[in-house]
Amino acid sequence: QSVLTQPPSASGTPGQRVTISCSGSSSNIGSNTVNWYQHLPGTAPKLLIYNNNQRPSGFPDRFSGYKSGTSASLAISGLQSEDEADYYCSAWDDSLNGWVFGGGTKLTVL
Amino acid sequence: QVQLVQSGTEVKKPGASVRVSCRASGYTFSDYAISWVRQAPGQGLEWMGWISGDTGKTDFVQKLQGRVSVATDTSTGTAYMELRNLRSDDTAVYYCARGSIVASFGAFDIWGQGTMVTVSS
């Protein structure tokens, strides 16, 4: 049971816009910034979004992050086949004094 | 090139210990912390704990306290994670990841390639 709650799966067709939600609490998302990671099977996770809505170099602006209250979301516009991956949200938890992750969302491009 | 390179696959018996190394290059090791994250088969990512690259301060999730330790060799820029009294549910891919020197800030911007640890009798 993950501290942050994500839907286990999401899907879309090429060119569509999809969003992935991440729900937390006042001790994590409510009081700290949210990061998102993209994970392709067999490879190392990659930092996709940091500080709620900042993108590292290397990821296009098709990827965007949002945070409001104790929830966050990742939006992917202009969906492409190479976006098919697992996506994880993460935040520091003040009560647990550690980093927590969502359970991950498997994105399928139909 | 900033990178973290981990040691290779391990197969251990229940009750044994495993040590995974993570060698950093391309940046000043003491300017960052190293976190350890694992992923069991079919499961999500789980943060295990971290070590500061400068002070050596550590912290771990409660469920692993007493079984896990981490250390650094600043002369080589290498972090080590040891997990003791292994159980079958410790079977996972173990990742090291670079994070902020202030544990609660920032993000994991560089990840090692992962080390598969299999615990089986």
Side-chain angles (χ1 to χ4, degrees):
Chain A
Q1 190 83 2
S2 301
V3 174
L4 305 181
T5 301
Q6 298 180 235
S9 62
S11 63
T13 56
Q16 268 191 331
R17 183 177 189 269
V18 297
T19 61
I20 297 171
S21 62
C22 175
S23 177
S25 68
S26 58
S27 64
N28 41 67
I29 294 178
S31 50
N32 296 293
T33 59
V34 177
N35 304 315
W36 290 87
Y37 299 91
Q38 181 190 63
H39 192 198
L40 281 72
T43 69
K46 292 181 180 177
L47 177 63
L48 175 61
I49 296 287
Y50 66 98
N51 196 20
N52 301 327
N53 54 23
Q54 303 299 302
R55 270 179 301 104
S57 59
F59 279 103
D61 59 5
R62 301 188 296 106
F63 295 89
S64 54
Y66 305 89
K67 173 186 151 179
S68 178
T70 59
S71 294
S73 61
L74 172 70
I76 308 172
S77 59
L79 200 60
Q80 299 180 5
S81 58
E82 57 261 38
D83 298 335
E84 197 163 272
D86 296 323
Y87 292 86
Y88 292 89
C89 59
S90 179
W92 180 265
D93 191 293
D94 293 332
S95 295
L96 298 174
N97 201 38
W99 288 95
V100 292
F101 286 93
T105 299
K106 183 176 182 60
L107 175 64
T108 301
V109 180
L110 302 170
Chain B
Q1 179 188 3
V2 178
Q3 62 179 355
L4 299 173
V5 178
Q6 298 182 223
S7 49
T9 299
E10 300 271 7
V11 179
K12 297 291 183 180
K13 293 190 183 303
S17 298
V18 69
R19 190 175 84 152
V20 179
S21 67
C22 170
R23 182 162 186 159
S25 60
Y27 71 94
T28 302
F29 186 75
S30 59
D31 285 348
Y32 294 86
I34 293 289
S35 274
W36 290 89
V37 178
R38 67 180 180 179
Q39 183 178 35
Q43 303 298 310
L45 301 175
E46 177 189 23
W47 183 77
M48 300 172 63
W50 73 289
I51 182 166
S52 169
D54 61 350
T55 65
K57 174 183 166 66
T58 63
D59 202 2
F60 311 105
V61 293
Q62 188 171 11
K63 66 182 279 188
L64 293 176
Q65 288 187 9
R67 288 206 302 134
V68 66
S69 58
V70 294
T72 58
D73 180 345
T74 54
S75 67
T76 62
T78 304
Y80 300 91
M81 186 279 297
E82 181 180 49
L83 189 58
R84 299 176 291 277
N85 194 18
L86 288 167
R87 309 189 294 240
S88 58
D89 62 357
D90 291 318
T91 293
V93 178
Y94 288 76
Y95 295 99
C96 61
R98 188 180 81 164
S100 169
I101 201 73
V102 179
S104 58
F105 290 168
F108 304 138
D109 62 345
I110 303 293
W111 292 67
Q113 83 277 19
T115 297
M116 181 71 217
V117 175
T118 301
V119 183
S120 174
S121 55

